[in-house]
Amino acid sequence: MPTTLAVIHADLERTPLGTRSRLGVELDGGPILRLTVERVCRAKRPAGCVVLVPQEQAPRCEAMLQGLPATVQRVNAPPVGWSQLVQVARKWSLGGWRGGLGGTTSLDEYFHPSLVAGALELHPADRVMVFPPAAPLLDPALIDAMIQHHDKGEDDARMTFAQAPPGAAGAIYNVDLLRELVGKGIPPGWIFSFKPDAPRRDMALFACCFDVRAPLRHGARRLIADTDRALETVSALRRQARTGDAAELGRLLRDYEASHVPPLPDEVEVELTTEDPFPEAVLRPRGARVGSRGPISLALIRTLAETLGKSDDSLVVLGGFGEPLRHPRFAEVLKTLRDGGVYGIAVRTSGVDLTDEAMEAMVTARVDALTVQIDGWTAETWRAMHGPAAPAHGSTRAGEASTSEGASLEAVRAGIDRLEQLKQARRCVAPIVVPEMVKARPTVGEMPEFFSGWIRALGTANIVGHTHRAGQLEPLAVMSMAPPRRTPCRRLWTRCMVLADGRVAACDQDFRGLQPIGDLRQMGLDEIWNGQVMTQLRAAHAEGRFGPVNPLCAACDDWHRP
């Protein structure tokens, strides 16, 4: 009978996400690491459990796990080669097992192939099952079921994983696959990533994917207690759990997501200015359709940073309905957000203002992601979707030409190339450049070339659906992707948008700011987020009333977006 070794890689100080470790935090029943190991040890099919810890932390870990049938193994090795990528990329998809920038997955976070292979030398087994160390909601029966599924799987199935929120399950690797990952120096996420020159069906369609039943399969909250929000989620679900099985966890998580309002939004989009090089763009609201706002004051940015910096997993996207790189104090904005403790920072740009100065500012401030809105693979489509370029005003110094003069797709590509060269010179992975296309009737013909071409060039690309912004723009979507039954908009519980004049909108559908939920010049973001207007809007959605509080909601068909 094949044997399976359970392996947990723990660090009592830092996590692969760059956050502080909570493994010693006491929940009901003991420290989080002990609760996790207890759950794994209660499973019947693993032949043993090994906890890998840095050498200097071993005494603390042994004391924490005293009395449990687990072996603490001291390890000392440099981080995996993809650690910097994981730290930058995974913060933008913390609640999903995959979907990270660059094809990263939650399986890449707490997995060090060389150290796991070393554990097998001391504890021989046919395969390993790897678990995150801060996952005290693991179901022992689910662990056994996954191992049994793997035993009955196809002969060439070298791993078994589950489509479930991070922290709800482990992943199984055969020894030969483990050795291959070690030899090639690649993370598990590489196995799942799209390869345009070797396309194949999604791994989730093969026998190696264990079927975790709904509603747990559809959960969108992180169940690894390694950030402030994840710890809050795990603590709440632990308090409510009675049986501790996967079915109960799925129900509790579904209800939690539907009702829990975090103290602050997970993600805030901030519009720095409405000044834009392409005011007549076809696919996005720009120019006269938006109106003139901003530039946003540095004082408001400072207030936002101080508020969002209270949580170690807050995300800020600098975008809105203008070109953020045209804010006259763009570099100071980035520095203020970083100094304030904001966890994740992304920038959304058309790409024509990618000056050397802007690139230097983003690399220095460790911006995580730079989305470049290209919207075409050929120069002809790019030009048709963006319209004529307008000169810059406030952000261009006297005597300098605007970067949008002579704007072209070739110039955008050249700017991306220069940024990649700067990153290589600085030996950093950030910002991860994400070329983006709106899938619409005028662009859909170029979508395959766009996606495959940029995946080959950068390893990342993004396709988003066209939105008519609740009936305010011409509908150009290829087809509606909205499910047949209307449900509450999930984004009302997770994110909001700050306009360049300080007003706060419930979401990016309200690009004119017609239905603001508050004003940062008068109230704090936490007051607005938990204020009367937003509370009434959430209650109306929960009751199936989508128009009374905000008429735009009734005309919106993007309510299903995560």
XYZ file of all heavy atoms in Angstrom, residues 306-401:
710
model
N -2.898 56.279 6.098
C -2.927 56.072 7.549
C -4.063 55.122 7.944
O -3.910 54.296 8.852
C -3.087 57.415 8.262
C -1.854 58.312 8.142
C -2.104 59.707 8.687
O -3.283 60.012 9.034
O -1.154 60.515 8.742
N -5.197 55.251 7.268
C -6.347 54.398 7.581
C -6.117 52.966 7.113
O -6.281 52.010 7.876
C -7.621 54.955 6.933
O -7.859 56.282 7.416
C -8.816 54.092 7.265
N -5.728 52.801 5.843
C -5.571 51.468 5.282
C -4.346 50.752 5.838
O -4.303 49.520 5.883
C -5.471 51.555 3.754
C -6.739 52.062 3.056
C -6.493 52.261 1.568
C -7.898 51.099 3.278
N -3.354 51.519 6.285
C -2.160 50.912 6.858
C -2.401 50.219 8.184
O -1.528 49.501 8.678
N -3.585 50.401 8.756
C -3.909 49.714 10.018
C -4.076 48.212 9.814
O -3.968 47.446 10.775
C -5.196 50.311 10.609
C -5.072 51.779 11.014
C -6.418 52.336 11.468
C -6.320 53.818 11.798
N -7.647 54.398 12.165
N -4.371 47.793 8.593
C -4.470 46.360 8.270
C -3.273 45.970 7.424
O -2.858 46.735 6.548
C -5.763 46.064 7.496
O -6.899 46.346 8.284
N -2.736 44.780 7.667
C -1.522 44.397 6.940
C -1.812 43.751 5.595
O -0.910 43.207 4.957
C -0.651 43.477 7.790
C -1.245 42.083 7.980
O -2.391 41.848 7.542
O -0.555 41.229 8.571
N -3.078 43.821 5.113
C -3.411 43.218 3.830
C -4.326 44.102 2.976
O -5.039 43.611 2.109
C -4.052 41.849 4.033
C -5.189 41.856 5.061
O -5.499 42.937 5.586
O -5.771 40.782 5.310
N -4.296 45.426 3.203
C -5.106 46.350 2.404
C -4.473 46.557 1.027
O -3.242 46.625 0.889
C -5.244 47.702 3.108
O -6.031 47.588 4.272
N -5.318 46.682 0.013
C -4.870 46.844 -1.365
C -5.365 48.164 -1.934
O -6.515 48.555 -1.696
C -5.386 45.693 -2.231
C -5.061 44.271 -1.756
C -5.768 43.244 -2.642
C -3.560 44.033 -1.747
N -4.510 48.852 -2.690
C -4.873 50.104 -3.341
C -4.531 50.018 -4.822
O -3.407 49.643 -5.187
C -4.135 51.309 -2.711
C -4.330 52.564 -3.562
C -4.640 51.559 -1.300
N -5.507 50.349 -5.674
C -5.294 50.423 -7.114
C -5.395 51.885 -7.521
O -6.418 52.537 -7.283
C -6.344 49.598 -7.884
C -6.135 49.748 -9.390
C -6.289 48.138 -7.474
N -4.346 52.407 -8.113
C -4.360 53.787 -8.612
C -4.831 53.739 -10.058
O -4.091 53.338 -10.959
C -2.965 54.403 -8.499
C -2.373 54.447 -7.083
C -0.991 55.068 -7.100
C -3.286 55.207 -6.139
N -6.095 54.120 -10.261
C -6.673 54.020 -11.587
C -7.742 55.060 -11.804
O -7.464 56.231 -12.016
N -8.999 54.623 -11.708
C -10.106 55.549 -11.935
C -10.297 55.825 -13.404
O -10.054 54.967 -14.264
N -10.691 57.069 -13.723
C -11.077 57.410 -15.093
C -10.197 58.507 -15.657
O -10.661 59.466 -16.265
C -12.559 57.777 -15.111
C -13.405 56.712 -14.479
C -13.900 56.863 -13.199
C -13.627 55.518 -15.125
C -14.642 55.864 -12.593
C -14.360 54.508 -14.533
C -14.870 54.678 -13.271
N -8.914 58.349 -15.423
C -7.901 59.246 -15.950
C -6.569 58.526 -15.920
O -6.501 57.333 -15.638
N -5.514 59.239 -16.202
C -4.181 58.658 -16.240
C -3.437 58.990 -14.951
O -3.033 60.133 -14.739
C -3.406 59.214 -17.443
C -1.952 58.798 -17.510
C -1.779 57.297 -17.445
O -2.144 56.616 -18.427
O -1.279 56.813 -16.405
N -3.270 58.020 -14.051
C -2.633 58.313 -12.762
C -1.213 58.841 -12.892
O -0.757 59.614 -12.047
C -2.658 56.962 -12.036
C -2.881 55.936 -13.092
C -3.678 56.602 -14.151
N -0.504 58.456 -13.952
C 0.863 58.929 -14.121
C 0.914 60.429 -14.407
O 1.987 61.042 -14.357
C 1.568 58.166 -15.248
C 2.246 56.845 -14.844
C 1.257 55.849 -14.265
C 2.975 56.223 -16.035
N -0.233 61.037 -14.690
C -0.269 62.477 -14.937
C -0.539 63.288 -13.678
O -0.649 64.514 -13.743
C -1.316 62.793 -16.008
C -0.916 62.246 -17.370
C -1.666 62.880 -18.513
N -1.074 62.465 -19.781
C -1.405 62.976 -20.960
N -2.337 63.925 -21.027
N -0.826 62.556 -22.058
N -0.642 62.638 -12.540
C -0.725 63.397 -11.295
C 0.610 64.102 -11.088
O 1.675 63.485 -11.204
C -1.019 62.468 -10.118
C -1.366 63.184 -8.857
N -0.411 63.800 -8.066
C -2.561 63.392 -8.234
C -0.998 64.352 -7.017
N -2.310 64.112 -7.095
N 0.605 65.405 -10.785
C 1.868 66.163 -10.694
C 2.802 65.682 -9.589
O 3.997 65.990 -9.614
C 1.399 67.597 -10.439
C 0.012 67.472 -9.899
C -0.568 66.265 -10.555
N 2.279 64.916 -8.625
C 3.117 64.436 -7.523
C 2.994 62.917 -7.418
O 2.882 62.349 -6.339
C 2.712 65.128 -6.223
C 2.792 66.650 -6.318
C 2.264 67.353 -5.078
N 3.175 67.250 -3.948
C 2.957 67.833 -2.771
N 1.857 68.574 -2.588
N 3.825 67.694 -1.792
N 3.043 62.261 -8.571
C 2.830 60.820 -8.642
C 3.806 60.059 -7.746
O 3.415 59.173 -6.990
C 2.966 60.352 -10.098
C 2.847 58.868 -10.289
C 1.645 58.215 -10.057
C 3.950 58.111 -10.695
C 1.529 56.837 -10.229
C 3.841 56.742 -10.866
C 2.630 56.106 -10.634
N 5.091 60.395 -7.818
C 6.088 59.693 -7.008
C 5.812 59.880 -5.518
O 5.985 58.939 -4.730
C 7.495 60.185 -7.354
N 5.370 61.069 -5.117
C 5.066 61.315 -3.707
C 3.839 60.521 -3.259
O 3.762 60.078 -2.104
C 4.836 62.806 -3.473
C 6.085 63.656 -3.634
C 5.778 65.126 -3.426
O 5.648 65.557 -2.257
O 5.643 65.832 -4.442
N 2.873 60.357 -4.166
C 1.697 59.547 -3.851
C 2.125 58.113 -3.514
O 1.706 57.531 -2.504
C 0.699 59.547 -5.025
C -0.379 58.482 -4.814
C 0.053 60.914 -5.176
N 2.973 57.552 -4.360
C 3.438 56.188 -4.130
C 4.194 56.075 -2.806
O 3.970 55.145 -2.028
C 4.342 55.740 -5.279
C 3.707 55.641 -6.674
C 4.751 55.193 -7.694
C 2.530 54.688 -6.679
N 5.075 57.011 -2.560
C 5.866 56.974 -1.320
C 4.971 57.103 -0.090
O 5.176 56.416 0.924
C 6.911 58.086 -1.328
C 7.863 58.054 -0.120
C 8.914 59.139 -0.220
C 9.948 58.992 0.904
N 9.381 58.998 2.249
N 3.972 57.954 -0.173
C 3.056 58.148 0.947
C 2.295 56.870 1.262
O 2.134 56.492 2.429
C 2.074 59.292 0.639
O 2.807 60.502 0.425
C 1.094 59.493 1.784
N 1.829 56.188 0.240
C 1.106 54.934 0.446
C 2.013 53.871 1.051
O 1.630 53.171 1.993
C 0.524 54.441 -0.879
C -0.612 55.282 -1.473
C -0.952 54.815 -2.877
C -1.847 55.232 -0.583
N 3.229 53.766 0.538
C 4.158 52.768 1.079
C 4.559 53.099 2.517
O 4.546 52.245 3.397
C 5.400 52.685 0.204
C 5.296 51.705 -0.924
C 5.307 50.278 -0.431
N 5.094 49.349 -1.543
C 4.150 48.452 -1.608
N 3.260 48.360 -0.631
N 4.048 47.631 -2.619
N 4.890 54.353 2.761
C 5.292 54.751 4.114
C 4.156 54.568 5.108
O 4.387 54.341 6.301
C 5.771 56.204 4.128
C 7.101 56.390 3.410
O 7.755 55.377 3.100
O 7.484 57.553 3.156
N 2.912 54.654 4.614
C 1.751 54.484 5.481
C 1.437 53.037 5.798
O 0.548 52.763 6.608
N 2.137 52.115 5.151
C 1.940 50.706 5.453
C 0.945 49.987 4.565
O 0.511 48.880 4.911
N 0.548 50.588 3.437
C -0.373 49.900 2.524
C 0.314 48.656 1.965
O 1.448 48.718 1.477
C -0.819 50.838 1.383
C -1.629 50.070 0.337
C -1.643 51.984 1.946
N -0.354 47.526 2.034
C 0.231 46.232 1.686
C 0.471 46.081 0.189
O 1.570 45.749 -0.256
C -0.682 45.127 2.203
C -0.248 43.721 1.901
C 1.021 43.260 2.245
C -1.137 42.820 1.296
C 1.400 41.949 1.984
C -0.759 41.510 1.045
C 0.509 41.082 1.394
O 0.874 39.779 1.138
N -0.579 46.308 -0.603
C -0.474 46.122 -2.044
C -0.797 47.385 -2.805
O -1.785 48.063 -2.506
N 0.030 47.716 -3.801
C -0.205 48.897 -4.631
C -0.122 48.477 -6.091
O 0.847 47.843 -6.512
C 0.837 50.006 -4.366
C 0.818 50.434 -2.896
C 0.577 51.214 -5.266
C 1.907 51.431 -2.542
N -1.152 48.828 -6.859
C -1.160 48.586 -8.297
C -1.474 49.897 -9.010
O -2.110 50.796 -8.446
C -2.195 47.522 -8.663
N -1.024 50.001 -10.243
C -1.255 51.196 -11.058
C -1.858 50.756 -12.378
O -1.431 49.755 -12.968
C 0.060 51.973 -11.309
C -0.185 53.161 -12.233
C 0.665 52.445 -9.993
N -2.861 51.505 -12.844
C -3.489 51.215 -14.126
C -3.218 52.382 -15.071
O -3.512 53.534 -14.738
C -4.993 51.019 -13.932
C -5.709 50.478 -15.147
C -7.181 50.240 -14.863
N -7.366 49.189 -13.864
C -8.132 49.305 -12.802
N -8.749 50.446 -12.553
N -8.269 48.299 -11.963
N -2.661 52.115 -16.238
C -2.218 53.168 -17.148
C -2.511 52.798 -18.593
O -2.661 51.617 -18.930
C -0.702 53.418 -16.983
O -0.262 54.393 -17.925
C 0.086 52.141 -17.218
N -2.562 53.808 -19.439
C -2.673 53.560 -20.881
C -1.323 53.201 -21.476
O -1.242 52.642 -22.564
C -3.224 54.797 -21.598
O -2.291 55.875 -21.498
N -0.254 53.549 -20.773
C 1.092 53.190 -21.222
C 1.826 54.271 -21.978
O 3.050 54.172 -22.142
N 1.147 55.319 -22.413
C 1.847 56.336 -23.205
C 2.622 57.311 -22.325
O 3.443 58.076 -22.828
C 0.868 57.122 -24.110
C 0.162 56.175 -25.075
C -0.143 57.907 -23.296
N 2.357 57.306 -21.025
C 3.074 58.189 -20.109
C 4.126 57.445 -19.293
O 4.520 57.889 -18.212
C 2.084 58.884 -19.163
C 1.265 59.934 -19.885
O 1.831 60.958 -20.271
O 0.055 59.706 -20.075
N 4.605 56.322 -19.813
C 5.625 55.546 -19.114
C 7.001 56.183 -19.324
O 7.861 55.678 -20.043
C 5.640 54.103 -19.609
C 4.636 53.148 -18.978
C 4.703 51.782 -19.642
C 4.905 53.007 -17.487
N 7.218 57.305 -18.675
C 8.510 57.974 -18.731
C 9.502 57.262 -17.815
O 9.128 56.483 -16.933
C 8.380 59.435 -18.279
O 7.943 59.442 -16.899
C 7.362 60.179 -19.123
N 10.777 57.545 -18.014
C 11.800 56.971 -17.144
C 11.575 57.398 -15.695
O 11.807 56.623 -14.762
C 13.194 57.405 -17.606
C 13.572 56.791 -18.952
O 12.927 55.793 -19.345
O 14.495 57.311 -19.601
N 11.104 58.641 -15.512
C 10.838 59.135 -14.162
C 9.718 58.340 -13.493
O 9.814 57.976 -12.314
C 10.461 60.614 -14.225
C 10.216 61.253 -12.876
C 9.807 62.712 -12.988
O 9.492 63.167 -14.114
O 9.799 63.403 -11.958
N 8.658 58.060 -14.247
C 7.538 57.296 -13.692
C 7.973 55.865 -13.373
O 7.596 55.304 -12.338
C 6.372 57.290 -14.670
N 8.765 55.272 -14.251
C 9.239 53.910 -13.995
C 10.103 53.858 -12.740
O 9.961 52.949 -11.916
C 10.038 53.406 -15.199
C 9.237 53.239 -16.464
S 10.302 52.648 -17.805
C 9.244 52.946 -19.218
N 10.996 54.814 -12.596
C 11.863 54.862 -11.422
C 11.029 54.985 -10.149
O 11.321 54.328 -9.132
C 12.828 56.043 -11.542
C 13.770 56.216 -10.362
C 14.776 55.083 -10.238
O 15.176 54.528 -11.287
O 15.130 54.733 -9.093
N 9.994 55.812 -10.201
C 9.131 55.997 -9.026
C 8.441 54.695 -8.650
O 8.338 54.349 -7.467
C 8.096 57.091 -9.310
N 7.960 53.938 -9.650
C 7.234 52.698 -9.362
C 8.164 51.610 -8.834
O 7.801 50.862 -7.916
C 6.490 52.224 -10.617
C 5.283 53.093 -10.947
S 4.252 52.441 -12.283
C 5.275 52.826 -13.711
N 9.358 51.509 -9.396
C 10.303 50.508 -8.912
C 10.767 50.859 -7.502
O 10.854 49.993 -6.629
C 11.503 50.392 -9.880
C 12.599 49.529 -9.268
C 11.054 49.803 -11.212
N 11.052 52.129 -7.260
C 11.505 52.558 -5.943
C 10.446 52.312 -4.877
O 10.749 51.892 -3.756
C 11.874 54.054 -5.965
O 12.928 54.264 -6.907
C 12.332 54.535 -4.599
N 9.178 52.568 -5.207
C 8.080 52.392 -4.254
C 7.580 50.953 -4.198
O 6.629 50.663 -3.471
C 6.923 53.323 -4.607
N 8.206 50.074 -4.952
C 7.846 48.657 -4.955
C 6.366 48.460 -5.315
O 5.641 47.705 -4.657
C 8.159 47.986 -3.618
C 9.575 48.186 -3.152
C 9.909 47.437 -1.872
N 8.910 47.594 -0.815
C 8.800 48.659 -0.036
N 9.615 49.704 -0.198
N 7.880 48.719 0.910
N 5.924 49.156 -6.355
C 4.572 48.922 -6.879
C 4.500 47.464 -7.330
O 5.402 46.953 -7.984
C 4.277 49.875 -8.058
C 3.028 49.448 -8.818
C 4.131 51.304 -7.545
N 3.428 46.784 -6.965
C 3.308 45.358 -7.244
C 2.955 45.054 -8.691
O 3.521 44.146 -9.296
C 2.241 44.740 -6.333
C 2.557 44.947 -4.877
O 3.583 44.427 -4.417
O 1.783 45.637 -4.197
N 1.986 45.775 -9.214
C 1.474 45.453 -10.546
C 1.216 46.719 -11.328
O 0.753 47.724 -10.780
C 0.194 44.622 -10.441
N 1.501 46.657 -12.626
C 1.214 47.756 -13.545
C 0.350 47.203 -14.664
O 0.821 46.471 -15.531
C 2.510 48.345 -14.115
C 2.315 49.474 -15.131
C 1.773 50.729 -14.445
C 3.607 49.791 -15.870
N -0.938 47.532 -14.632
C -1.848 47.123 -15.692
C -1.780 48.141 -16.821
O -2.002 49.338 -16.597
C -3.289 47.025 -15.174
O -3.360 46.003 -14.171
C -4.247 46.680 -16.295
N -1.460 47.677 -18.008
C -1.362 48.559 -19.177
C -2.561 48.274 -20.071
O -2.684 47.184 -20.642
C -0.050 48.346 -19.943
C 0.066 49.357 -21.084
C 1.152 48.485 -19.007
N -3.436 49.250 -20.185
C -4.681 49.085 -20.941
C -4.382 49.283 -22.423
O -4.353 50.405 -22.927
C -5.720 50.090 -20.446
C -6.083 49.876 -18.983
C -6.889 51.023 -18.402
O -6.601 52.191 -18.673
N -7.871 50.709 -17.595
N -4.187 48.171 -23.130
C -3.766 48.238 -24.529
C -4.948 48.072 -25.478
O -5.075 48.794 -26.465
C -2.676 47.178 -24.802
C -1.464 47.470 -23.908
C -2.263 47.193 -26.268
C -0.331 46.478 -24.055
N -5.809 47.103 -25.212
C -7.078 46.946 -25.944
C -6.920 46.683 -27.430
O -7.807 47.006 -28.220
C -7.976 48.176 -25.734
C -8.410 48.340 -24.304
O -8.473 47.329 -23.594
O -8.666 49.481 -23.876
N -5.807 46.097 -27.805
C -5.633 45.732 -29.208
C -4.300 45.057 -29.423
O -3.328 45.345 -28.713
N -4.247 44.161 -30.385
C -2.990 43.507 -30.716
C -2.304 44.203 -31.876
O -1.090 44.323 -31.928
C -3.236 42.040 -31.042
C -1.995 41.278 -31.387
C -1.666 40.731 -32.603
C -0.904 40.956 -30.514
N -0.450 40.108 -32.538
C 0.038 40.231 -31.251
C -0.641 41.234 -29.172
C 1.243 39.758 -30.706
C 0.547 40.767 -28.613
C 1.471 40.040 -29.369
N -3.094 44.712 -32.816
C -2.524 45.431 -33.958
C -2.596 46.933 -33.718
O -3.405 47.427 -32.932
C -3.288 45.108 -35.250
O -4.646 45.584 -35.130
C -3.315 43.605 -35.500
N -1.738 47.658 -34.428
C -1.703 49.116 -34.300
C -3.028 49.727 -34.734
O -3.473 50.739 -34.171
C -0.552 49.688 -35.131
N -3.678 49.126 -35.718
C -4.931 49.670 -36.223
C -6.029 49.601 -35.156
O -6.761 50.579 -34.932
C -5.374 48.909 -37.479
C -4.490 49.116 -38.696
C -3.155 48.374 -38.590
O -3.067 47.418 -37.787
O -2.211 48.778 -39.312
N -6.152 48.450 -34.520
C -7.177 48.312 -33.478
C -6.832 49.194 -32.286
O -7.714 49.823 -31.698
C -7.293 46.841 -33.043
O -7.710 46.072 -34.167
C -8.315 46.683 -31.936
N -5.571 49.225 -31.889
C -5.152 50.080 -30.770
C -5.568 51.525 -31.038
O -6.135 52.192 -30.162
C -3.639 49.979 -30.578
C -3.110 50.833 -29.458
C -2.999 50.484 -28.149
C -2.648 52.185 -29.555
N -2.500 51.530 -27.409
C -2.267 52.593 -28.248
C -2.515 53.103 -30.597
C -1.763 53.856 -27.966
C -2.017 54.371 -30.331
C -1.642 54.727 -29.034
N -5.283 52.019 -32.236
C -5.605 53.415 -32.582
C -7.114 53.630 -32.597
O -7.615 54.653 -32.104
C -5.012 53.747 -33.948
C -4.998 55.238 -34.279
C -4.305 55.512 -35.608
N -2.928 55.035 -35.609
C -2.496 54.002 -36.325
N -3.353 53.317 -37.089
N -1.243 53.631 -36.291
N -7.861 52.684 -33.126
C -9.313 52.837 -33.206
C -9.946 52.836 -31.817
O -10.920 53.562 -31.572
C -9.894 51.715 -34.053
N -9.431 52.038 -30.891
C -10.024 51.947 -29.555
C -9.645 53.128 -28.667
O -10.392 53.502 -27.759
C -9.594 50.645 -28.866
C -10.136 49.371 -29.526
S -11.945 49.328 -29.643
C -12.204 49.907 -31.331
N -8.498 53.761 -28.902
C -8.057 54.848 -28.043
C -8.467 56.223 -28.559
O -8.623 57.158 -27.775
C -6.535 54.806 -27.866
C -6.083 53.708 -26.958
N -6.013 52.390 -27.360
C -5.706 53.718 -25.659
C -5.599 51.647 -26.348
N -5.416 52.421 -25.307
N -8.645 56.351 -29.859
C -9.003 57.660 -30.392
C -7.801 58.586 -30.421
O -6.690 58.225 -30.035
N -8.008 59.827 -30.861
C -6.884 60.769 -30.959
C -6.319 61.115 -29.590
O -7.047 61.218 -28.611
C -7.510 61.991 -31.628
C -8.974 61.891 -31.324
C -9.283 60.433 -31.295
N -5.008 61.281 -29.525
C -4.349 61.624 -28.274
C -4.484 63.103 -27.974
O -4.481 63.944 -28.864
C -2.880 61.235 -28.331
N -4.623 63.400 -26.673
C -4.676 64.795 -26.217
C -3.381 65.111 -25.478
O -2.818 64.252 -24.810
C -5.870 65.000 -25.290
N -2.881 66.330 -25.546
C -1.644 66.682 -24.840
C -1.856 66.719 -23.340
O -2.954 66.954 -22.856
C -1.305 68.065 -25.386
C -2.630 68.636 -25.795
C -3.430 67.474 -26.302
N -0.776 66.471 -22.611
C -0.831 66.596 -21.155
C -0.839 68.059 -20.783
O -0.398 68.920 -21.533
C 0.379 65.896 -20.532
N -1.344 68.333 -19.572
C -1.402 69.724 -19.114
C -0.600 69.897 -17.840
O 0.568 70.260 -17.870
C -2.861 70.145 -18.913
C -3.661 70.107 -20.177
N -3.415 70.944 -21.228
C -4.690 69.292 -20.557
C -4.273 70.674 -22.217
N -5.052 69.685 -21.829
N -1.206 69.620 -16.698
C -0.592 69.969 -15.425
C 0.681 69.232 -15.095
O 1.524 69.738 -14.366
N 0.893 68.025 -15.615
C 2.022 67.229 -15.157
C 3.277 67.404 -15.998
O 4.326 66.898 -15.665
C 1.638 65.744 -15.133
O 1.293 65.314 -16.426
N 3.191 68.111 -17.122
C 4.352 68.294 -17.985
C 5.075 69.574 -17.617
O 4.484 70.646 -17.564
C 3.918 68.331 -19.463
O 3.191 67.139 -19.754
C 5.120 68.435 -20.374
N 6.377 69.475 -17.378
C 7.154 70.649 -17.001
C 7.351 71.572 -18.198
O 7.308 71.144 -19.356
C 8.507 70.215 -16.435
C 8.400 69.520 -15.082
C 9.774 69.307 -14.490
N 10.529 68.324 -15.240
C 10.529 67.017 -14.940
N 9.819 66.580 -13.920
N 11.242 66.176 -15.656
N 7.581 72.832 -17.923
C 7.760 73.831 -18.974
C 8.884 73.419 -19.911
O 9.960 72.995 -19.485
C 8.067 75.189 -18.348
N 8.624 73.536 -21.198
C 9.649 73.221 -22.183
C 9.700 71.768 -22.598
O 10.437 71.407 -23.507
N 8.921 70.901 -21.927
C 8.919 69.487 -22.264
C 7.714 69.148 -23.119
O 6.639 69.712 -22.944
C 8.888 68.620 -21.003
C 10.184 68.619 -20.218
C 10.148 67.611 -19.093
O 9.065 67.077 -18.824
O 11.206 67.374 -18.488
N 7.883 68.204 -24.008
C 6.759 67.742 -24.825
C 5.972 66.697 -24.072
O 6.510 65.966 -23.246
C 7.289 67.161 -26.144
